[in-house]
Amino acid sequence: MADEREQLIAMLTKAYWMELETVMSYITNSTNPDGVRAQEIIESLQQDVQEELGHAQQFAARIKELYGVVPGSMDFTAEQTYLQPPRQQTDIVHVIKGVIEAESGAIEHYNAIIEFTEGKDPVTNDMVIAILRDEEGHRRLFEGFLREYEAEGLA
Ligand SMILES: [Fe+2]
Ligand SMILES: [Fe+2]
């Protein structure tokens, strides 16, 4: 039981870091892009920053509720190589693909948490299902953006 709780706290901690790195990456990528076509992406990512921040806070709260300790910033290791600023700030496709990759990573990890907590921890299970729905919505929106670029032969 204690071992499973430790495992779950580790999974929630990973989720917490993923959300915080996504906040950083989305601030970056909602600020840097240039051009007429960038506006939709900028506005969408600005809105997502707030949602991902809310997710990070929910994961932190749940870690505490499960008697874990939310780690400090010195424990953070960045992983989102695919969301670094592109060489050209008009390269919107790079940003769109990076967002899809970040959201897909979150979706995969959150599905694992949902599976892990199934029938064991309904509160975490419920919380992560709700967050998963947000991430699926984010990914779907950016897949739509990518489709538009693909249809025009730009991606
Ligand atoms: Fe999120
Ligand atoms: Fe998201």
Side-chain angles (χ1 to χ4, degrees), residues 19-65:
E19 294 290 350
L20 282 182
E21 188 172 12
T22 299
V23 167
M24 273 192 269
S25 292
Y26 287 5
I27 289 174
T28 301
N29 289 290
S30 66
T31 306
N32 287 332
D34 283 322
V36 204
R37 317 193 63 152
Q39 213 47 44
E40 198 69 39
I41 306 298
I42 286 171
E43 279 167 27
S44 179
L45 286 179
Q46 279 172 343
Q47 199 185 320
D48 285 355
V49 165
Q50 306 307 321
E51 284 194 32
E52 310 298 10
L53 182 59
H55 294 164
Q57 288 176 307
Q58 287 184 67
F59 281 117
R62 193 62 191 145
I63 289 167
K64 177 164 180 157
E65 283 161 6

Short mmCIF file of all heavy atoms in Angstrom, two decimals, residues 19-65:
data_model
loop_
_atom_site.label_atom_id
_atom_site.label_comp_id
_atom_site.label_asym_id
_atom_site.label_seq_id
_atom_site.Cartn_x
_atom_site.Cartn_y
_atom_site.Cartn_z
N GLU A 19 3.68 19.79 -16.55
CA GLU A 19 2.80 20.96 -16.66
C GLU A 19 3.60 22.26 -16.55
O GLU A 19 3.38 23.20 -17.31
CB GLU A 19 1.73 20.93 -15.56
CG GLU A 19 0.73 19.78 -15.68
CD GLU A 19 -0.23 19.93 -16.86
OE1 GLU A 19 -0.26 21.01 -17.49
OE2 GLU A 19 -0.94 18.95 -17.13
N LEU A 20 4.53 22.31 -15.61
CA LEU A 20 5.32 23.53 -15.43
C LEU A 20 6.20 23.82 -16.64
O LEU A 20 6.33 24.97 -17.06
CB LEU A 20 6.18 23.44 -14.16
CG LEU A 20 5.45 23.67 -12.85
CD1 LEU A 20 6.43 23.61 -11.69
CD2 LEU A 20 4.72 25.02 -12.82
N GLU A 21 6.80 22.77 -17.20
CA GLU A 21 7.62 23.00 -18.39
C GLU A 21 6.74 23.46 -19.55
O GLU A 21 7.15 24.30 -20.36
CB GLU A 21 8.42 21.75 -18.78
CG GLU A 21 9.40 22.09 -19.90
CD GLU A 21 10.38 20.99 -20.26
OE1 GLU A 21 10.21 19.84 -19.81
OE2 GLU A 21 11.32 21.29 -21.02
N THR A 22 5.53 22.91 -19.62
CA THR A 22 4.60 23.33 -20.67
C THR A 22 4.22 24.80 -20.50
O THR A 22 4.13 25.54 -21.49
CB THR A 22 3.35 22.42 -20.67
OG1 THR A 22 3.78 21.08 -20.94
CG2 THR A 22 2.36 22.83 -21.74
N VAL A 23 4.03 25.24 -19.27
CA VAL A 23 3.77 26.67 -19.02
C VAL A 23 4.91 27.51 -19.60
O VAL A 23 4.68 28.46 -20.34
CB VAL A 23 3.59 26.95 -17.50
CG1 VAL A 23 3.62 28.46 -17.22
CG2 VAL A 23 2.28 26.35 -16.99
N MET A 24 6.16 27.12 -19.29
CA MET A 24 7.32 27.85 -19.81
C MET A 24 7.33 27.86 -21.33
O MET A 24 7.51 28.90 -21.97
CB MET A 24 8.62 27.19 -19.33
CG MET A 24 9.08 27.67 -17.99
SD MET A 24 10.77 27.09 -17.68
CE MET A 24 10.42 25.55 -16.87
N SER A 25 7.15 26.67 -21.91
CA SER A 25 7.22 26.55 -23.37
C SER A 25 6.09 27.32 -24.06
O SER A 25 6.29 27.88 -25.14
CB SER A 25 7.13 25.08 -23.77
OG SER A 25 8.29 24.39 -23.36
N TYR A 26 4.92 27.35 -23.43
CA TYR A 26 3.79 28.04 -24.06
C TYR A 26 3.92 29.55 -23.91
O TYR A 26 3.47 30.29 -24.78
CB TYR A 26 2.45 27.52 -23.52
CG TYR A 26 2.08 26.13 -24.02
CD1 TYR A 26 2.95 25.37 -24.81
CD2 TYR A 26 0.85 25.56 -23.71
CE1 TYR A 26 2.62 24.10 -25.25
CE2 TYR A 26 0.50 24.28 -24.16
CZ TYR A 26 1.39 23.56 -24.91
OH TYR A 26 1.04 22.30 -25.35
N ILE A 27 4.52 30.01 -22.83
CA ILE A 27 4.80 31.45 -22.73
C ILE A 27 5.77 31.84 -23.85
O ILE A 27 5.55 32.78 -24.61
CB ILE A 27 5.39 31.84 -21.35
CG1 ILE A 27 4.31 31.74 -20.25
CG2 ILE A 27 5.95 33.28 -21.39
CD1 ILE A 27 4.83 31.97 -18.85
N THR A 28 6.86 31.05 -23.99
CA THR A 28 7.85 31.29 -25.03
C THR A 28 7.20 31.35 -26.41
O THR A 28 7.39 32.29 -27.17
CB THR A 28 8.88 30.13 -25.03
OG1 THR A 28 9.49 30.08 -23.74
CG2 THR A 28 9.95 30.32 -26.08
N ASN A 29 6.39 30.31 -26.69
CA ASN A 29 5.86 30.16 -28.04
C ASN A 29 4.57 30.94 -28.28
O ASN A 29 4.04 30.93 -29.39
CB ASN A 29 5.67 28.67 -28.35
CG ASN A 29 7.01 27.98 -28.54
OD1 ASN A 29 7.72 28.22 -29.52
ND2 ASN A 29 7.41 27.16 -27.57
N SER A 30 4.09 31.64 -27.26
CA SER A 30 2.98 32.57 -27.49
C SER A 30 3.51 33.99 -27.54
O SER A 30 2.75 34.94 -27.70
CB SER A 30 1.91 32.44 -26.38
OG SER A 30 2.42 32.87 -25.14
N THR A 31 4.81 34.13 -27.42
CA THR A 31 5.42 35.46 -27.45
C THR A 31 6.28 35.66 -28.69
O THR A 31 6.21 36.70 -29.36
CB THR A 31 6.29 35.68 -26.18
OG1 THR A 31 5.50 35.42 -25.02
CG2 THR A 31 6.81 37.11 -26.12
N ASN A 32 7.08 34.64 -29.04
CA ASN A 32 8.05 34.79 -30.13
C ASN A 32 7.46 34.86 -31.55
O ASN A 32 8.00 35.60 -32.37
CB ASN A 32 9.06 33.63 -30.09
CG ASN A 32 10.04 33.78 -28.94
OD1 ASN A 32 10.33 34.88 -28.51
ND2 ASN A 32 10.54 32.66 -28.45
N PRO A 33 6.41 34.11 -31.88
CA PRO A 33 6.01 34.04 -33.29
C PRO A 33 5.66 35.38 -33.94
O PRO A 33 5.04 36.24 -33.32
CB PRO A 33 4.79 33.11 -33.26
CG PRO A 33 5.02 32.24 -32.08
CD PRO A 33 5.63 33.17 -31.06
N ASP A 34 6.07 35.51 -35.19
CA ASP A 34 5.81 36.69 -36.00
C ASP A 34 4.93 36.32 -37.18
O ASP A 34 4.95 35.18 -37.65
CB ASP A 34 7.14 37.24 -36.58
CG ASP A 34 7.94 38.01 -35.56
OD1 ASP A 34 7.33 38.73 -34.75
OD2 ASP A 34 9.18 37.89 -35.59
N GLY A 35 4.21 37.30 -37.68
CA GLY A 35 3.45 37.11 -38.92
C GLY A 35 1.96 37.09 -38.70
O GLY A 35 1.48 36.85 -37.59
N VAL A 36 1.24 37.31 -39.81
CA VAL A 36 -0.23 37.36 -39.78
C VAL A 36 -0.81 36.06 -39.25
O VAL A 36 -1.76 36.05 -38.49
CB VAL A 36 -0.80 37.53 -41.21
CG1 VAL A 36 -2.18 38.16 -41.18
CG2 VAL A 36 0.13 38.29 -42.11
N ARG A 37 -0.21 34.95 -39.68
CA ARG A 37 -0.76 33.64 -39.37
C ARG A 37 -0.49 33.21 -37.94
O ARG A 37 -1.03 32.23 -37.47
CB ARG A 37 -0.18 32.59 -40.32
CG ARG A 37 -0.13 33.08 -41.75
CD ARG A 37 0.14 31.95 -42.68
NE ARG A 37 -0.94 30.97 -42.64
CZ ARG A 37 -1.26 30.20 -43.64
NH1 ARG A 37 -0.59 30.27 -44.76
NH2 ARG A 37 -2.24 29.33 -43.55
N ALA A 38 0.41 33.93 -37.28
CA ALA A 38 0.82 33.54 -35.92
C ALA A 38 -0.25 33.88 -34.88
O ALA A 38 -0.28 33.29 -33.80
CB ALA A 38 2.12 34.24 -35.56
N GLN A 39 -1.13 34.82 -35.24
CA GLN A 39 -2.04 35.37 -34.22
C GLN A 39 -2.93 34.33 -33.54
O GLN A 39 -3.08 34.33 -32.32
CB GLN A 39 -2.89 36.48 -34.85
CG GLN A 39 -3.22 37.59 -33.89
CD GLN A 39 -1.98 38.08 -33.10
OE1 GLN A 39 -0.91 38.27 -33.66
NE2 GLN A 39 -2.14 38.24 -31.80
N GLU A 40 -3.48 33.43 -34.33
CA GLU A 40 -4.36 32.39 -33.80
C GLU A 40 -3.62 31.50 -32.79
O GLU A 40 -4.14 31.15 -31.74
CB GLU A 40 -4.90 31.54 -34.95
CG GLU A 40 -6.12 30.73 -34.60
CD GLU A 40 -7.36 31.60 -34.38
OE1 GLU A 40 -7.55 32.60 -35.12
OE2 GLU A 40 -8.12 31.28 -33.45
N ILE A 41 -2.39 31.15 -33.15
CA ILE A 41 -1.55 30.29 -32.30
C ILE A 41 -1.19 31.02 -31.02
O ILE A 41 -1.25 30.44 -29.92
CB ILE A 41 -0.23 29.93 -33.07
CG1 ILE A 41 -0.53 29.31 -34.44
CG2 ILE A 41 0.69 29.06 -32.24
CD1 ILE A 41 -1.30 28.02 -34.40
N ILE A 42 -0.84 32.28 -31.15
CA ILE A 42 -0.47 33.10 -29.98
C ILE A 42 -1.62 33.15 -28.97
O ILE A 42 -1.43 32.86 -27.78
CB ILE A 42 -0.06 34.53 -30.43
CG1 ILE A 42 1.32 34.49 -31.09
CG2 ILE A 42 -0.09 35.51 -29.27
CD1 ILE A 42 1.74 35.79 -31.76
N GLU A 43 -2.81 33.47 -29.47
CA GLU A 43 -3.97 33.60 -28.58
C GLU A 43 -4.33 32.27 -27.93
O GLU A 43 -4.66 32.22 -26.75
CB GLU A 43 -5.18 34.15 -29.37
CG GLU A 43 -5.10 35.65 -29.52
CD GLU A 43 -6.09 36.19 -30.54
OE1 GLU A 43 -7.15 35.54 -30.74
OE2 GLU A 43 -5.80 37.24 -31.14
N SER A 44 -4.24 31.22 -28.71
CA SER A 44 -4.57 29.90 -28.19
C SER A 44 -3.59 29.47 -27.09
O SER A 44 -4.00 28.96 -26.04
CB SER A 44 -4.58 28.91 -29.35
OG SER A 44 -4.87 27.64 -28.87
N LEU A 45 -2.30 29.71 -27.34
CA LEU A 45 -1.28 29.32 -26.34
C LEU A 45 -1.35 30.19 -25.09
O LEU A 45 -1.11 29.71 -23.99
CB LEU A 45 0.12 29.35 -26.96
CG LEU A 45 0.45 28.20 -27.92
CD1 LEU A 45 1.85 28.36 -28.48
CD2 LEU A 45 0.30 26.84 -27.25
N GLN A 46 -1.70 31.46 -25.27
CA GLN A 46 -1.84 32.35 -24.10
C GLN A 46 -2.92 31.80 -23.17
O GLN A 46 -2.76 31.80 -21.95
CB GLN A 46 -2.21 33.77 -24.55
CG GLN A 46 -1.00 34.57 -25.02
CD GLN A 46 -1.38 35.90 -25.63
OE1 GLN A 46 -2.53 36.13 -26.01
NE2 GLN A 46 -0.41 36.78 -25.76
N GLN A 47 -3.99 31.32 -23.75
CA GLN A 47 -5.09 30.76 -22.97
C GLN A 47 -4.66 29.44 -22.31
O GLN A 47 -4.96 29.18 -21.15
CB GLN A 47 -6.28 30.53 -23.90
CG GLN A 47 -7.59 30.37 -23.18
CD GLN A 47 -8.70 30.01 -24.16
OE1 GLN A 47 -8.76 30.54 -25.29
NE2 GLN A 47 -9.57 29.11 -23.76
N ASP A 48 -3.91 28.63 -23.07
CA ASP A 48 -3.44 27.34 -22.55
C ASP A 48 -2.49 27.52 -21.36
O ASP A 48 -2.47 26.70 -20.45
CB ASP A 48 -2.72 26.53 -23.64
CG ASP A 48 -3.70 25.92 -24.63
OD1 ASP A 48 -4.92 26.04 -24.40
OD2 ASP A 48 -3.24 25.34 -25.64
N VAL A 49 -1.69 28.58 -21.38
CA VAL A 49 -0.75 28.84 -20.26
C VAL A 49 -1.52 28.82 -18.95
O VAL A 49 -1.10 28.18 -17.98
CB VAL A 49 -0.02 30.20 -20.43
CG1 VAL A 49 0.65 30.63 -19.13
CG2 VAL A 49 1.01 30.12 -21.55
N GLN A 50 -2.67 29.49 -18.93
CA GLN A 50 -3.47 29.56 -17.70
C GLN A 50 -3.99 28.17 -17.33
O GLN A 50 -4.01 27.80 -16.15
CB GLN A 50 -4.64 30.53 -17.88
CG GLN A 50 -4.23 31.92 -18.34
CD GLN A 50 -3.17 32.56 -17.46
OE1 GLN A 50 -3.18 32.42 -16.24
NE2 GLN A 50 -2.21 33.25 -18.07
N GLU A 51 -4.43 27.41 -18.32
CA GLU A 51 -4.97 26.06 -18.04
C GLU A 51 -3.89 25.13 -17.53
O GLU A 51 -4.11 24.37 -16.57
CB GLU A 51 -5.62 25.47 -19.30
CG GLU A 51 -6.98 26.08 -19.59
CD GLU A 51 -7.78 25.27 -20.61
OE1 GLU A 51 -7.65 24.04 -20.66
OE2 GLU A 51 -8.52 25.91 -21.36
N GLU A 52 -2.71 25.16 -18.15
CA GLU A 52 -1.62 24.27 -17.74
C GLU A 52 -1.13 24.65 -16.34
O GLU A 52 -0.79 23.77 -15.54
CB GLU A 52 -0.45 24.31 -18.74
CG GLU A 52 -0.82 24.12 -20.22
CD GLU A 52 -1.47 22.80 -20.61
OE1 GLU A 52 -1.86 22.02 -19.73
OE2 GLU A 52 -1.61 22.57 -21.83
N LEU A 53 -1.13 25.93 -16.05
CA LEU A 53 -0.76 26.39 -14.71
C LEU A 53 -1.76 25.84 -13.68
O LEU A 53 -1.36 25.35 -12.61
CB LEU A 53 -0.74 27.93 -14.67
CG LEU A 53 -0.32 28.58 -13.36
CD1 LEU A 53 1.08 28.15 -12.95
CD2 LEU A 53 -0.37 30.11 -13.50
N GLY A 54 -3.02 25.88 -14.03
CA GLY A 54 -4.05 25.31 -13.15
C GLY A 54 -3.85 23.82 -12.95
O GLY A 54 -4.02 23.30 -11.84
N HIS A 55 -3.45 23.12 -14.01
CA HIS A 55 -3.16 21.68 -13.89
C HIS A 55 -2.00 21.45 -12.93
O HIS A 55 -2.05 20.56 -12.09
CB HIS A 55 -2.80 21.08 -15.25
CG HIS A 55 -3.93 21.09 -16.25
ND1 HIS A 55 -3.71 20.91 -17.59
CD2 HIS A 55 -5.27 21.24 -16.09
CE1 HIS A 55 -4.88 20.96 -18.22
NE2 HIS A 55 -5.84 21.16 -17.33
N ALA A 56 -0.94 22.26 -13.07
CA ALA A 56 0.24 22.11 -12.20
C ALA A 56 -0.19 22.28 -10.74
O ALA A 56 0.24 21.52 -9.85
CB ALA A 56 1.30 23.14 -12.57
N GLN A 57 -1.05 23.25 -10.49
CA GLN A 57 -1.51 23.50 -9.12
C GLN A 57 -2.34 22.33 -8.60
O GLN A 57 -2.24 21.95 -7.43
CB GLN A 57 -2.31 24.81 -9.06
CG GLN A 57 -1.40 26.03 -9.21
CD GLN A 57 -2.18 27.33 -9.26
OE1 GLN A 57 -3.10 27.48 -10.08
NE2 GLN A 57 -1.83 28.28 -8.42
N GLN A 58 -3.15 21.73 -9.48
CA GLN A 58 -3.94 20.56 -9.06
C GLN A 58 -3.04 19.37 -8.74
O GLN A 58 -3.27 18.67 -7.75
CB GLN A 58 -4.91 20.16 -10.17
CG GLN A 58 -6.09 21.10 -10.35
CD GLN A 58 -7.05 20.56 -11.40
OE1 GLN A 58 -7.70 19.55 -11.21
NE2 GLN A 58 -7.11 21.23 -12.53
N PHE A 59 -2.03 19.15 -9.57
CA PHE A 59 -1.10 18.04 -9.29
C PHE A 59 -0.35 18.28 -7.97
O PHE A 59 -0.18 17.36 -7.17
CB PHE A 59 -0.12 17.84 -10.45
CG PHE A 59 -0.72 17.09 -11.62
CD1 PHE A 59 -0.86 17.69 -12.87
CD2 PHE A 59 -1.16 15.77 -11.47
CE1 PHE A 59 -1.43 17.00 -13.94
CE2 PHE A 59 -1.72 15.07 -12.54
CZ PHE A 59 -1.86 15.69 -13.77
N ALA A 60 0.07 19.52 -7.74
CA ALA A 60 0.78 19.85 -6.50
C ALA A 60 -0.12 19.59 -5.29
O ALA A 60 0.30 18.95 -4.31
CB ALA A 60 1.23 21.31 -6.54
N ALA A 61 -1.36 20.04 -5.37
CA ALA A 61 -2.29 19.86 -4.25
C ALA A 61 -2.51 18.37 -3.97
O ALA A 61 -2.56 17.95 -2.81
CB ALA A 61 -3.61 20.55 -4.57
N ARG A 62 -2.61 17.59 -5.04
CA ARG A 62 -2.87 16.16 -4.85
C ARG A 62 -1.65 15.45 -4.24
O ARG A 62 -1.81 14.52 -3.43
CB ARG A 62 -3.26 15.50 -6.19
CG ARG A 62 -3.84 14.11 -6.05
CD ARG A 62 -5.13 14.11 -5.25
NE ARG A 62 -5.58 12.77 -4.88
CZ ARG A 62 -6.19 12.48 -3.73
NH1 ARG A 62 -6.44 13.43 -2.85
NH2 ARG A 62 -6.58 11.27 -3.47
N ILE A 63 -0.45 15.89 -4.62
CA ILE A 63 0.78 15.33 -4.02
C ILE A 63 0.73 15.55 -2.51
O ILE A 63 0.99 14.64 -1.72
CB ILE A 63 2.04 15.99 -4.65
CG1 ILE A 63 2.22 15.52 -6.09
CG2 ILE A 63 3.29 15.68 -3.81
CD1 ILE A 63 3.24 16.33 -6.90
N LYS A 64 0.36 16.75 -2.11
CA LYS A 64 0.30 17.06 -0.67
C LYS A 64 -0.79 16.23 0.02
O LYS A 64 -0.57 15.70 1.12
CB LYS A 64 0.05 18.55 -0.46
CG LYS A 64 -0.10 18.88 1.01
CD LYS A 64 0.04 20.35 1.31
CE LYS A 64 -0.13 20.55 2.82
NZ LYS A 64 0.50 21.79 3.26
N GLU A 65 -1.95 16.14 -0.61
CA GLU A 65 -3.05 15.37 -0.01
C GLU A 65 -2.66 13.92 0.22
O GLU A 65 -3.15 13.27 1.14
CB GLU A 65 -4.30 15.46 -0.91
CG GLU A 65 -5.03 16.79 -0.78
CD GLU A 65 -5.96 17.10 -1.95
OE1 GLU A 65 -6.14 16.24 -2.85
OE2 GLU A 65 -6.48 18.22 -1.99
#
